[in-house]
């Protein structure tokens, strides 16, 4: 509630204010490309500019001089800094233009010559406009203008107001046309965009309760399908993705348990059909872990031996085969016993030696019964012959 009701409106208002300030700086408050600064100078015949003043705002500058009195000739010249300093070295004082005091006025200072003042003969003196120390010069009785296009920091301007014009003075102005105007609107535009993004985040993501954000992340992780084939996962770009912990792996042990249960149930039905012949009306669920398969096999072998004793028609060769099959059954029983441990507390299991001794005694009894049957037949045949 605080994020959407208080923080979001604050950032929204700041974003709107930044955009409005950017628009104002791009239109009404946009800096002017043309700058003109003026100053009225009196008390000196010569006026010079400091190095770097001419190209202060742009390399193209126009220097204009408008004397108060038009009786004297006024000259404006451009030259190197050392030549200008050498020309005014013999003067007692001169005025320097040091820069801008504001966007519309020039700052001036009065300076004195650093060298010794020497008297010069007026007949041998060189006129200001005729000197070869200047790169360009222009003279006139009224408004005089000189334009410099490629002005460097070492270029200086010097103005000669003429003899006797120091008391009246002149108005000096400098005009620049800037090729590159400072852009103060772009910072406000960028600030407004960032504030708008923060306001949207405060109204959406930051205002959401933490438990909902965590729930959304968990739900996004649970969308991975584990039952897809390798080709389908490759098409969906899921190769190499880790499965979420909340999705359990498929278990195959249940089908194996059904298969073991089916085999045990089939054995139980077969044993019931061969043995007691009981009718099972409903299916019985048998746990393979609680059954002793070795004991079942021994019981089946005992029933087969009982059938052999009851029939009594088999020969001694047949009895030897029975003994061999019984031995094989004992071996298989021993292998099954070694392959899977049996719980001795649930069922009683005889050893392989006891089982072999049992089958040996059984074979001996069968052989003795067959020999007694043969003796009885011979005696019967002899009595019949005597009759």
């Amino acid at each position: 509630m605080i994020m959407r009701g208080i923080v979001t409106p604050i950032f929204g208002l700041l974003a709107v204010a930044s955009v409005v300030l950017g628009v104002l700086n791009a239109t009404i408050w946009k800096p002017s490309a043309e700058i003109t600064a003026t100053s009225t100078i009196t008390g000196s015949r010569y006026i010079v500019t400091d190095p770097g003043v001419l190209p202060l705002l742009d390399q193209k500058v126009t220097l204009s001089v408008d004397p108060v009195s038009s009786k004297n000739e006024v000259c404006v010249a451009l030259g190197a800094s050392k030549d200008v300093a050498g020309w005014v070295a013999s003067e007692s004082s001169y005025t320097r233009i040091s820069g801008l005091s504001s966007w519309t006025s020039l700052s001036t200072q009065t300076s004195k010559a650093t060298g010794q003042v020497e008297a010069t003969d007026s007949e041998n003196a060189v006129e200001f406009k005729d000197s070869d120390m200047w790169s360009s010069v222009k003279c006139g009785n009224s408004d005089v203008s000189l334009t410099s296009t490629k002005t460097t920091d070492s270029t200086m301007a010097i103005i000669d107001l003429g003899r006797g014009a120091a008391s009246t003075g002149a108005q000096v102005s400098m005009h620049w046309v800037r090729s590159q105007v400072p852009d103060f609107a772009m910072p406000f535009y960028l600030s407004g965009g960032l504030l708008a993004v923060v306001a949207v985040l405060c109204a959406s993501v930051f205002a959401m309760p933490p438990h909902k954000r965590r729930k959304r992340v968990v739900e996004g992780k649970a969308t991975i399908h584990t039952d897809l084939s390798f080709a389908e996962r490759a098409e969906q770009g899921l190769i190499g993705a880790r499965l979420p912990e909340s999705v359990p792996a498929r278990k195959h042990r249940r089908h194996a348990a059904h298969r073991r249960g089916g085999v045990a149930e089939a054995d139980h039905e077969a044993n019931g059909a061969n043995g007691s012949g009981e009718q099972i009306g409903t299916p019985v669920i048998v746990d393979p872990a609680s059954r002793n398969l070795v004991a079942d096999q021994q019981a089946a072998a005992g029933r087969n031996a009982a059938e052999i004793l009851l029939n009594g028609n088999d020969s001694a060769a047949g009895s030897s085969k029975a003994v061999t099959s019984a031995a094989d059954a004992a071996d298989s029983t021993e292998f099954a016993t070694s392959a899977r441990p049996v719980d001795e507390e649930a069922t009683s299991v005889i050893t392989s030696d006891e089982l072999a001794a049992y089958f040996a005694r059984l074979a001996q009894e069968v052989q003795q019964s067959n020999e007694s049957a043969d003796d009885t037949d011979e005696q019967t045949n002899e009595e019949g012959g005597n009759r």
Side-chain angles (χ1 to χ4, degrees):
M1 185 63 183
I2 296 177
M3 297 297 292
R4 292 182 178 176
I6 299 177
V7 179
T8 300
I10 291 175
F11 281 109
L13 292 176
L14 291 176
V16 173
S18 298
V19 173
V20 171
L21 290 175
V23 173
L24 291 176
N25 279 277
T27 55
I28 299 175
W29 296 344
K30 184 177 181 180
S32 177
E34 296 184 6
I35 303 296
T36 301
T38 60
S39 179
T40 301
I41 300 173
T42 58
S44 299
R45 176 182 176 179
Y46 293 101
I47 303 171
V48 299
T49 60
D50 289 346
V53 173
L54 292 178
L56 183 62
L57 300 178
D58 196 81
Q59 290 184 351
K60 185 178 180 180
V61 58
T62 300
L63 180 61
S64 301
V65 179
D66 186 11
V68 176
S69 176
S70 58
K71 295 180 180 180
N72 297 327
E73 185 180 29
V74 178
C75 295
V76 180
L78 297 176
S81 58
K82 60 180 181 179
D83 294 335
V84 173
W87 185 270
V88 298
S90 60
E91 298 294 328
S92 59
S93 65
Y94 60 94
T95 302
R96 294 173 38 245
I97 300 176
S98 58
L100 295 175
S101 59
S102 66
W103 289 107
T104 58
S105 63
L106 298 171
S107 61
T108 60
Q109 294 179 0
T110 301
S111 298
K112 295 182 179 181
T114 57
Q116 185 178 0
V117 179
E118 297 180 357
T120 57
D121 190 359
S122 60
E123 295 181 356
N124 298 327
V126 179
E127 294 292 334
F128 181 85
K129 61 180 179 180
D130 297 332
S131 176
D132 57 356
M133 301 171 63
W134 321 126
S135 59
S136 61
V137 61
K138 189 175 182 180
C139 299
N141 292 330
S142 59
D143 190 7
V144 180
S145 298
L146 181 63
T147 302
S148 177
T149 56
K150 295 181 180 180
T151 308
T152 61
D153 293 338
S154 61
T155 303
M156 296 177 61
I158 182 171
I159 302 171
D160 182 12
L161 298 180
R163 296 180 181 274
S167 58
T168 58
Q171 185 177 3
V172 181
S173 64
M174 301 179 69
H175 179 73
W176 294 273
V177 178
R178 292 187 290 183
S179 58
Q180 294 181 354
V181 180
D183 187 7
F184 298 108
M186 186 57 64
F188 288 101
Y189 289 151
L190 295 176
S191 301
L194 292 176
L195 291 172
V197 171
V198 173
V200 172
L201 292 176
C202 291
S204 58
V205 178
F206 297 155
M208 187 182 301
H211 65 277
K212 289 186 178 181
R213 289 201 297 266
R214 289 195 295 268
K215 184 178 180 181
R216 180 173 297 180
V217 170
V218 171
E219 290 178 354
K221 289 183 179 180
T223 55
I224 300 177
H225 301 283
T226 59
D227 55 348
L228 298 178
S229 63
F230 181 82
E232 293 175 349
R233 294 186 66 190
E235 291 178 358
Q236 297 183 9
L238 299 178
I239 300 300
R242 294 184 60 186
L243 295 179
E245 297 179 357
S246 59
V247 180
R250 292 186 297 177
K251 298 182 178 180
H252 301 281
R253 299 295 300 172
R254 181 171 59 87
H255 302 288
H258 280 298
R259 288 195 295 270
R260 290 197 302 268
V263 173
E265 185 178 354
D267 293 341
H268 181 73
E269 292 178 356
N271 294 332
N274 295 330
S276 61
E278 295 178 356
Q279 298 294 331
I280 300 177
T282 59
V284 179
I285 299 175
V286 180
D287 187 7
S290 63
R291 292 291 301 274
N292 193 338
L293 300 180
V294 177
D296 293 341
Q297 292 179 359
Q298 291 176 1
R303 285 193 295 269
N304 293 333
E307 290 177 359
I308 294 173
L309 290 176
L310 292 175
N311 292 331
N313 296 324
D314 294 336
S315 60
S319 63
S320 63
K321 292 182 179 179
V323 172
T324 304
S325 63
D328 295 336
D331 294 338
S332 63
T333 302
E334 183 179 359
F335 176 76
T337 303
S338 62
R340 179 179 178 180
V342 180
D343 189 4
E344 295 181 355
E345 296 180 358
T347 57
S348 60
V349 181
I350 62 175
T351 62
S352 58
D353 296 336
E354 294 176 351
L355 185 62
Y358 168 74
F359 283 115
R361 290 195 301 270
L362 180 61
Q364 185 178 3
E365 291 176 359
V366 171
Q367 186 177 3
Q368 290 177 359
S369 62
N370 290 333
E371 291 178 356
S372 61
D374 293 339
D375 294 340
T376 304
D377 292 339
E378 290 179 359
Q379 291 178 2
T380 304
N381 293 330
E382 288 179 357
E383 289 179 357
N386 295 329
R387 290 179 184 177

